[in-house]
Amino acid sequence: GEGGVGPGKGGAPPSGYRKAVFGVSGMTCASCVSIIESCVGAREGVYAISVGLIQERAEVKFDPAKVNEEQIAEEIESVGFTAKHIPQAEHNTVRLNIIGMTCTSCVSTIESSVSQAQGVVSVAVNLATETAQVVYDPDVSGSRDIIACIEDVGFGATLADGKGDQTQKTDHKAELTK
């Protein structure tokens, strides 16, 4: 479902939470999605889960002090589906179109808000082009979280390329080995 479920739904995630993505096979309908979301969402340490039937993916926000990726995969498999943790790139970069900025104060407000969001590595807002470029840790945050952060301070934001989290991925470990 959209939005996910979990004990912390609607509130701020606990500090130090992580986000993991799992490939899930064997789902055939919305009922399968509900079963996985209910089962994993009820587990202690899981903050939120969102399962995509067509994408065959589950995105889980969790407290690594209480549960790990292997245990989450086992939980999905315990209700009859196959699950595999998919490690994400070290950092992702998302470009956003910003709606409603009129001055440098707007830029400062957005940069300040987004830079305080969990998982954000850097943020650069350009008033002239009405865009923002945000580098973030995909294990902790995502483009939806960043857009929500911008909307929370009174501005609109849309993905500049229309591809969701499939934006430019930068794995700094790979760059260091070149």
Side-chain angles (χ1 to χ4, degrees), residues 96-118:
L96 302 169
N97 295 318
I98 309 292
I99 301 132
M101 291 190 299
T102 57
C103 63
T104 56
S105 179
C106 297
V107 170
S108 296
T109 299
I110 294 168
E111 286 182 342
S112 174
S113 175
V114 173
S115 67
Q116 292 175 28
Q118 204 165 9

Side-chain angles (χ1 to χ4, degrees), residues 30-45:
S31 190
C32 297
V33 169
S34 295
I35 290 167
I36 294 168
E37 287 183 341
S38 296
C39 180
V40 177
R43 179 162 187 140
E44 184 182 0

Side-chain angles (χ1 to χ4, degrees), residues 12 20-21 33 43 61 90 100 111 119 131 139 148 151 158 160-161 164:
V21 176
V33 169
R43 179 162 187 140
K61 292 182 181 179
E90 184 180 344
E111 286 182 342
T131 60
D139 285 336
E151 290 173 344
T158 59
D161 61 7

Side-chain angles (χ1 to χ4, degrees), residues 97-171:
N97 295 318
I98 309 292
I99 301 132
M101 291 190 299
T102 57
C103 63
T104 56
S105 179
C106 297
V107 170
S108 296
T109 299
I110 294 168
E111 286 182 342
S112 174
S113 175
V114 173
S115 67
Q116 292 175 28
Q118 204 165 9
V120 171
V121 177
S122 70
V123 58
V125 177
N126 186 317
L127 178 61
T129 60
E130 297 183 309
T131 60
Q133 182 165 306
V134 183
V135 177
Y136 63 95
D137 178 347
D139 285 336
V140 178
S141 192
S143 55
R144 285 186 201 163
D145 302 319
I146 294 163
I147 289 170
C149 194
I150 293 167
E151 290 173 344
D152 286 348
V153 291
F155 299 93
T158 59
L159 293 166
D161 61 7
K163 294 183 186 171
D165 274 341
Q166 299 304 313
T167 52
Q168 178 186 345
K169 295 182 189 268
T170 53
D171 187 341

